[in-house]
Amino acid sequence: MVFNNHSGSNQPNPSPNQPDDQKSNFRWVGGGFLILAAGFLLFSVASSSLQSGDRESVPYSRFLEQVEADQVKEATVAPNRIRYELKGNQAEAGSESAQTFETVPIQNDQSLTELLRQHDVEFSAVPPQDGGWGGVLSWVLLPLLFFGLWSFILRRGQGGAGGAGILGVGKSKARLYSEGDTKVTFDDVAGVDEAKTELQEVVDFLKNSDKYTRLGAKIPKGVLLVGPPGTGKTLLAKAVAGEASVPFLSISGSEFIEMFVGVGASRVRDLFEQAKKQAPCIVFIDELDALGKSRGSQSPFAGGGMSEQEQTLNQLLNEMDGFDANTGVILLGATNRPEVLDPALQRPGRFDRQVVVDRPDKIGRKAILEVHLPAIALADDVDVAKLAAQTPGFSGADLANLVNEAALLAARRNGDEVTMADFSEAIERVIAGLEKKSRVLSEKERTTVAHHETGHAIVGSLMPGAGKVEKISIVPRGVGALGYTLQLPEEDKFLVGEDELRGRIAILLAGRSAEEVMFGRISTGAGDDIQKATEMAERFVTVYGMSHKLGPIAYDKRQQQFIEGMGNTRRAVSPQVMEAIDREVKEIVDSGHRVALAILEHNRPVLEEMAQKLLEAEVLDGETLAAELDKVDPPAHLSEWLMGKGEVPDHEAAQRYSLEQVFHHS
Ligand code: ADP
Ligand code: MG
Ligand code: ZN
């Protein structure tokens, strides 16, 4: 998606980037032009009204009549008007005091010349451009006006600290928040304890920088806050500045991108200048993706050459490399789309640290509500834990909004206190809004996700070398994931055994298998799992040569591809071998699927119980999770199955998919 439609690199470019020293000069001239232009305009309006003051316009038909009656003495014909004089006595005889008349001719009246000649009118023509002030106006004045206006805007953009210019072109709009302004501390941010712990370190860098520099350590320059909108990234950044008692400078990535090329880059320069003066300080760049979007992935409308966004990004990278790590300036960036960021931004010495700020779980939501509730007058019946339970998928901002909504509802019914009933209604309202953004799951969807993730966890706990299942969660994470299972390997692995690889494929398919075992239907939620499982099975056969049937042949030429460029990565093989590879890949995925189904069928009561607990708590980890997974029992021949031996019991869910349907398609 290209969302950066304000980047304006496709706008006409009225002026190339002005170097700073020329800019002020240019601005002065622009101001002069403005005055001059206004003068011209006034003068021309006045003079044209003077000229036309004593002339009477008449209908064209009357003019023709007068010509035919031989009353016209002479005429000046222009394409869009005819001025003429009547013969002396006629003018005096007429009641009009005017001597010259004016009329608007019918366009292209070819017969007019002929007519005038027949009646002995002395006539002449004027060139189409009527030579009056209109010409000056359109050719000289309008551009002058434009430049004047532009320079005016430029100057307004400079307008002091507030930077309240019309377009604000020019200087950086980084607003300065002194500590007195924000007063935000870590106590104001709840439910994101991991992020707080990591940022505590940044606070320490700012507060006790000597401690680190004394030992020659380099203080990190950039920390990237990654998380969905409304989870408190901006709030956290302010809190870091508040905790460290340093100034907080903030600017949004989208503010860098303006209509005029080169402005963004000069803003970046200004921002860093300001920051260095204020050090130690925090510079917060919100919506970093608006400016740091990968240079390859830009709008197709961006014309040739370097786009505005690219220039700005390059300037940012330069500035980040240019300042000494220990000057005390720490950059915090925020984005909800880390995947579109230019990789150059995340290299060492730039935004090389990432802090994930995720949506809160139930306990986190309770903590966030407790931050916001003291601001309103609460009735005794309000149960915070219950509110937290009723708001799955809400972000911090949604919860703050909920509290305010409830207070508004109470005020509307002229209540003295905000009651639980107000909250219930407010929850419905907020959810209705969120559903439009498809961020709140229905009860059925949550149940599906809970069983899916439990399936991963149960199968994962039995597989060799897969590590410990640390956490399962049905708190929506990031943009796509509805839930997740976190399984960490116990040690770094460089070699993976056949059984482990088959085991990983089974783990990947376990989410979908759980849906099949429990509900007999499948959902799109397993798409990513299937993608990964299939790729793994393909490598199993074509790269690692682990297939019992096809043996150690490198069917995949991916290693050579760097030299040969794009194209089919498969070695040239006969159609029979091609088909055999496809069958083998499918057989490996299928057998993983059958293993997962067998395990889950065998442990069905645990699956049901765990999923129920997960629905309740939203997150299972630590001892609760370990206790549940202890109940999981491996089926009899599991280790044989994982070596590709023995018959994995067929499950009707797996029977549905037969390769014969694919190959012997009738
Ligand atoms: P983001 O920058 O991640 O989009 P913000 O920091 O702007 O989110 O959050 C908007 C508002 O929502 C905050 O000002 C605060 O009132 C509330 N909020 C968000 N997250 C939290 C949180 N973790 N704890 C307390 N309040 C929060
Ligand atoms: Mg924000
Ligand atoms: Zn899954």
Side-chain angles (χ1 to χ4, degrees), residues 188-192 228-236 286 368 371-372 396-397 400:
D188 299 313
V189 197
V192 282
T231 46
K233 298 181 293 297
T234 309
L235 197 62
L236 269 170
D286 210 350
I368 294 175
V371 169
H372 291 281

Side-chain angles (χ1 to χ4, degrees), residues 33-71:
F33 278 158
L34 187 66
I35 295 164
L36 226 68
F40 266 123
L41 191 67
L42 267 177
F43 182 60
S44 66
V45 167
S47 62
S48 69
S49 66
L50 271 176
Q51 279 184 4
S52 58
D54 58 349
R55 212 175 284 131
E56 195 190 341
S57 26
V58 296
Y60 188 49
S61 58
R62 174 137 172 73
F63 166 66
L64 292 180
E65 278 166 22
Q66 286 172 331
V67 173
E68 275 161 4
D70 288 328
Q71 294 169 350

Side-chain angles (χ1 to χ4, degrees), residues 549-570:
K549 285 184 193 137
L550 289 153
I553 306 284
Y555 293 103
D556 193 293
K557 304 185 295 187
R558 216 157 288 174
Q559 317 278 349
Q560 299 165 22
Q561 221 198 327
F562 291 108
I563 310 161
E564 291 171 10
M566 305 292 277
N568 189 358
T569 65
R570 284 237 178 130

